[in-house]
Amino acid sequence: QVQLVESGGGLVQPGGSLRLSCAASGSIFSIGTMAWYRQAPGKERELVATIRRDGIINYANSMKGRFTISRDNAKNTVYLQMNSLKFEDTAVYYCNAWVTDQRFRALDLWGQGTLVTVSS
């Protein structure tokens, strides 16, 4: 089995920074595109950013400038550095990854989510 585990969420003041991590573990053969999504209270889940295995990155237009996605292929981990956080960034942040397991099955996996609360 393969799972994604997120960490790094918490309470931060406006203008502050947080770094989220998402580590994949289990019977992994390879990992393709990894991504971060978020879901604010009462809203639909939205894309934050994606990063391909070769490092090509795509950000949602509203996320450009303050958020930085990166990955460490050796650690099967994707990161999201969030700077200049605003009240409206409060949300549950979810990690997503396309994983090929050791039985060569293509899996579209989601983490359990990590809560980011921006509050003074």
Side-chain angles (χ1 to χ4, degrees):
Q1 293 184 348
V2 181
Q3 62 177 356
L4 303 179
V5 177
E6 297 124 334
S7 61
L11 176 65
V12 62
Q13 293 185 341
S17 298
L18 277 178
R19 188 192 194 207
L20 306 182
S21 299
C22 172
S25 63
S27 302
I28 299 168
F29 177 75
S30 67
I31 303 177
T33 298
M34 304 183 83
W36 287 97
Y37 288 76
R38 71 182 186 183
Q39 187 166 17
K43 295 187 177 181
E44 295 186 352
R45 190 172 299 188
E46 63 175 346
L47 174 69
V48 176
T50 64
I51 182 167
R52 294 178 4 179
R53 184 171 182 83
D54 59 6
I56 300 297
I57 291 170
N58 178 60
Y59 292 100
N61 286 335
S62 61
M63 310 296 175
K64 292 179 180 178
R66 298 186 297 119
F67 291 2
T68 302
I69 190 172
S70 61
R71 67 189 283 173
D72 184 334
N73 291 330
K75 295 181 179 180
N76 293 331
T77 300
V78 63
Y79 305 95
L80 184 67
Q81 177 67 42
M82 304 184 293
N83 299 326
S84 302
L85 284 163
K86 305 175 181 180
F87 292 117
E88 52 264 40
D89 294 319
T90 294
V92 178
Y93 285 72
Y94 295 92
C95 172
N96 170 256
W98 283 93
V99 177
T100 301
D101 70 7
Q102 293 182 358
R103 299 173 74 176
F104 301 105
R105 297 177 297 185
L107 307 174
D108 180 13
L109 298 178
W110 291 87
Q112 81 283 1
T114 186
L115 177 63
V116 172
T117 303
V118 183
S119 177
S120 55

